[in-house]
Amino acid sequence: MIISKRILDTNRLKEYLKNNEETAKILSDFDFDLILLKENAEGFYYSFIIENIKTKEILTFDYKEGKARERLTIYNKPTKIIECLHCIILDFYCFYIESEKDLTYFIDSFYGSEFYKEGIKAFEQCKILSEKLLRILSISDIEKLYKNIEL
């Protein structure tokens, strides 16, 4: 069970959410949390947690921010959760929608042949992330969030 219930007050986050009513409706089925796991010279490492309130299914995602970013606090947590959700949705979109789950297209579009090994690793990570995300959100809802979360 997630400790920080109802952390996302979509009215407080209007600057990041277009079509707030539709976005709020999708997000209202979930609780979110972001936990700092580790901090080092490279940045901040988090566990991003999404709980489906209706089914009680809980998913966790690894999330990393560079050192130039602000450290997680109780005050910026809602914004950081939206940022994290946005990044996960972008990863899903690149893998599932734009590259249509095709490794060659994914690498050519996002990495180039000189970074082939990194591209394969990112492709596999996006595949796992996409499969997890589709367990709790429909493609239609992901597309709506993709269009309506603006950072």
Side-chain angles (χ1 to χ4, degrees), residues 54-65:
K54 294 175 183 171
T55 67
K56 301 297 181 201
E57 181 168 16
I58 297 174
L59 299 178
T60 60
F61 299 88
D62 295 331
Y63 179 65
K64 181 186 178 225
E65 285 187 322

Side-chain angles (χ1 to χ4, degrees), residues 94-132:
C94 290
F95 171 79
Y96 203 89
I97 306 297
E98 291 203 12
S99 70
E100 297 177 339
K101 305 178 275 186
D102 179 82
L103 175 63
T104 303
Y105 183 88
F106 183 89
I107 291 174
D108 289 347
S109 297
F110 302 109
Y111 285 87
S113 58
E114 66 274 10
F115 298 105
Y116 188 77
K117 287 183 181 177
E118 292 89 346
I120 290 174
K121 184 178 178 182
F123 180 84
E124 291 301 322
Q125 290 172 335
C126 286
K127 179 181 178 186
I128 292 167
L129 175 145
S130 296
E131 290 168 352
K132 287 169 73 171

Side-chain angles (χ1 to χ4, degrees), residues 22-82:
E22 181 178 51
T23 307
K25 185 175 185 242
I26 296 168
L27 296 178
S28 69
D29 289 339
F30 302 95
D31 278 326
F32 302 87
D33 205 357
L34 189 63
I35 299 168
L36 179 63
L37 300 175
K38 178 174 84 171
E39 177 181 348
N40 63 24
E42 295 176 12
F44 304 102
Y45 297 81
Y46 296 101
S47 180
F48 179 55
I49 304 163
I50 304 174
E51 179 183 6
N52 183 312
I53 296 169
K54 294 175 183 171
T55 67
K56 301 297 181 201
E57 181 168 16
I58 297 174
L59 299 178
T60 60
F61 299 88
D62 295 331
Y63 179 65
K64 181 186 178 225
E65 285 187 322
K67 197 62 177 169
R69 301 292 305 213
E70 184 180 10
R71 189 175 201 275
L72 178 69
T73 68
I74 193 165
Y75 303 106
N76 67 10
K77 195 173 202 176
T79 303
K80 287 213 175 273
I81 285 173
I82 285 293

